[in-house]
Amino acid sequence: MQKLFVNIKELLQVRTTQIDMVCGAEMADLPKIDNAYLLLKNDCIEDFGPMENCPKWDNIEIIDVTGKVILPTWVDSHTHIVYAGNRIQEFVDRINGLSYEEIANRGGGILNSAKKLNETSEEDIYEQSKVRLEELMQLGTGAIEIKSGYGLTIEGELKMLRVIKRLKENYSLPIKATFLGAHAFPTEYKENHSAYIDLIVNEMLPKIAEENLANYIDAFLETGYFSVEETIKIMKAGKKYSLIPKIHVNQFTAIEGIKACVENEALSVDHLEIVTDEDIEVLKNSKTMPVALPSCSYFISIPYTPARKMITAGLPLALATDYNPGTTPSGNMNFVVATACIKMKMTPEEAINAATINGAYAMGISKTHGSITKGKKANLIITKPLTSYYQLPYEFGNNLIDKVMINGDFI
């Protein structure tokens, strides 16, 4: 089945050859075609170009999108959307002056979510999670990574990963699963870190591998959570089961965690609200994608990833939501792109590159997603009529999406 979009006001992220990512100054270049056509065949992009060169095809569905912009769907490479309940009370606690660390020390934070998840059935968690996923798809997310990490027990982590597997089976967008057993130390292991790491390495990982439940492995590498040495042990253990590292790092402190991640060939390092000159040097010429999570900074009032400094140094940067019940209860990538422009001083071109092609790299799917390229999947955002794609970050509180397409079908 072929579909032809005609009279596209602006066709964004047009790449005639395959690229994996854009870095540094290249991030300011967002290739586009004004007054364009786009031909789809089945679930893939077949052809595109300016309307003046649009061939005449017979027996084809023609969709006139005069005044509208088309771009690839957002790629959200860092989420925690499989969880139970919410942490609304902690939101109020922060307003009343408690810090993230103080809430965690009172039994809140990740341990609060773990308690709720372990008390909730797998079926209930699936039903809650699919509602979130469907909402995100309507907001333009066409590929998503989902982490475990709210189980912190063998049964809880397997439960979460099985829910992610079921979402994968029932929805057509790419979903990647990340095992994050090293999210926090359960209360009973607070004084015995090595025993919990042994549980992850010797009991959780073999069961996860046996059921083929994960693509990646993660850890919260941070002061008060998992040390550099503990995270290295987890990364190495994951690699034995072909799980590539994607690591939480430098959210509150810089403790040479990025160096350890690069040395262990992490696909991405995520958060990076604190970045040193040494971290930037380590990331240069590596294959590790830095990932910023600006709506987390917005929600819990911590610094924003220093995007300008990193891009000026020649680094790539991806954007993701960090959607989770405690520190970012939103998966709206449109808000992420806008916040990157408003608070991190990224240009719209840089932010869109970060949320599409670079996000695809951080998910390991840049060969098939993230740009308008012949042969790539037809995962598309069709906007409402716009004067310019700059409206997407400019009108940060408005939903400017008309339709979303996944694998050549409107959702």
Side-chain angles (χ1 to χ4, degrees), residues 368-384:
T368 53
H369 295 80
S371 67
I372 303 295
T373 301
K374 290 180 184 178
K376 283 196 174 185
K377 293 295 184 183
N379 286 20
L380 307 170
I381 291 171
I382 300 92
T383 72
K384 296 172 183 176

Side-chain angles (χ1 to χ4, degrees), residues 195-214:
Y196 184 62
I197 291 169
D198 286 344
L199 184 72
I200 290 171
V201 170
N202 299 322
E203 298 190 49
M204 292 187 189
L205 271 170
K207 286 185 167 64
I208 289 162
E210 185 182 334
E211 293 187 42
N212 193 27
L213 290 174

